């Protein structure tokens, strides 16, 4: 293959990608107009790596790190929420803007509505209390267990944080061990450290 043929092939691939992108956008608009788009998603570039964000008409339902396997996350959403799921970035514009502002250090609290249906019971109780840990601060798993009304449920707090469907937005990264050690994090220890350092710097 000579250079000219190679360039033509690249142009063809780019044209096909543009057509596919345009088709997806039209499909998303049509699905939303017809009321058959139950879950919209997009992937954002972030300092912690690509984040998949998904929303229903009720609000943001999922934030997922790449290490969680975005394809698997989409399948879980299809199974647990609705199979009517599409790449529809426009519905996630507000979430994308607020996350960008957070990573830029100009936002400390998120205002976007949340769809909490992927958490229930004590896990949901724990997650609803995490906003009480202020920006730039941390709390131990034991302290969060007390906040949630079950002082002995330290392990259950760890499980709630490890299965948080809305990391970053619902700040499970602010929960650390009693000795000050990081503890685990579904986005990985490096991501947790980056988020805590970002907040401490601001």
């Amino acid at each position: 293959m000579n250079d000219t043929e190679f360039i033509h092939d690249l142009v063809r691939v780019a044209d096909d990608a543009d057509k596919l992108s345009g088709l997806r956008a039209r499909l998303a608009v049509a699905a939303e107009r017809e009321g058959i788009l139950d879950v919209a998603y997009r992937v954002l570039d972030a300092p912690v790596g690509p984040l998949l964000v998904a929303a229903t008409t009720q609000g943001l339902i999922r934030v997922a790190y790449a290490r969680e396997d975005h394809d698997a996350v989409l399948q879980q959403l299809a199974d647990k929420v609705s199979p009517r799921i599409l790449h529809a970035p426009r519905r996630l514009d507000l979430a994308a803007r607020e996350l960008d502002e957070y990573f830029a250090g100009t936002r400390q609290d998120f205002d976007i509505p949340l769809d909490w249906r992927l958490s229930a019971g004590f896990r949901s109780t724990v997650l609803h209390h995490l906003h009480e840990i202020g920006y730039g601060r941390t709390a131990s798993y034991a302290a969060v267990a007390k906040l949630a009304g079950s002082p002995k449920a330290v392990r259950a707090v760890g499980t709630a944080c490890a299965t948080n469907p809305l990391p970053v937005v619902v700040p499970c990264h602010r929960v650390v061990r009693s000795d000050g050690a990081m503890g685990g994090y579904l986005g990985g220890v490096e991501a947790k450290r980056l988020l805590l350092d970002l907040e401490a710097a601001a």
Side-chain angles (χ1 to χ4, degrees), residues 4-195:
T4 302
E5 289 172 329
F6 179 69
I7 290 168
H8 282 309
D9 281 347
L10 282 178
V11 170
R12 255 196 314 274
V13 168
D15 285 345
D16 289 345
D18 286 344
K19 286 175 186 173
L20 183 58
S21 178
L23 177 62
R24 282 179 175 161
R26 289 194 300 277
L27 190 60
V29 169
E32 189 124 37
R33 186 177 59 241
E34 297 297 320
I36 57 172
L37 175 55
D38 293 333
V39 183
Y41 75 91
R42 72 190 279 183
V43 177
L44 308 175
D45 289 327
V48 290
L51 290 175
L52 181 142
V53 290
T56 65
T57 53
Q58 294 176 46
L60 188 68
I61 193 168
R62 194 69 168 88
V63 177
Y65 286 96
R67 65 182 286 162
E68 296 179 74
D69 184 351
H70 290 169
D71 289 339
V73 170
L74 291 173
Q75 185 59 57
Q76 289 164 3
L77 286 169
D79 294 341
K80 293 180 179 180
V81 181
S82 170
R84 299 192 302 191
I85 181 168
L86 269 177
H87 180 260
R90 275 199 312 181
R91 189 186 281 182
L92 281 304
D93 281 349
L94 179 58
R97 184 165 68 250
E98 291 199 5
L99 282 162
D100 283 346
E101 290 168 354
Y102 170 81
F103 285 116
T106 59
R107 171 175 290 278
Q108 296 189 359
D109 298 300
F110 290 92
D111 299 318
I112 47 178
L114 304 178
D115 183 336
W116 290 94
R117 78 179 85 176
L118 294 179
S119 62
F122 185 68
R123 291 182 186 182
S124 179
T125 301
V126 168
L127 297 181
H128 277 81
H129 279 285
L130 295 184
H131 288 290
E132 295 173 40
I133 308 169
Y135 182 93
R137 305 188 66 155
T138 59
S140 68
Y141 292 96
V144 174
K146 286 180 186 175
L147 280 175
S150 298
K152 294 182 180 178
V154 177
R155 284 194 180 189
V157 168
T159 301
C161 290
T163 56
N164 178 9
L166 295 162
V168 184
V169 176
V170 176
C172 59
H173 59 275
R174 296 178 191 159
V175 185
V176 298
R177 291 181 181 164
S178 296
D179 62 3
M182 284 283 190
Y185 186 58
L186 73 169
V189 175
E190 286 306 312
K192 186 171 187 173
R193 183 175 289 109
L194 187 150
L195 295 175

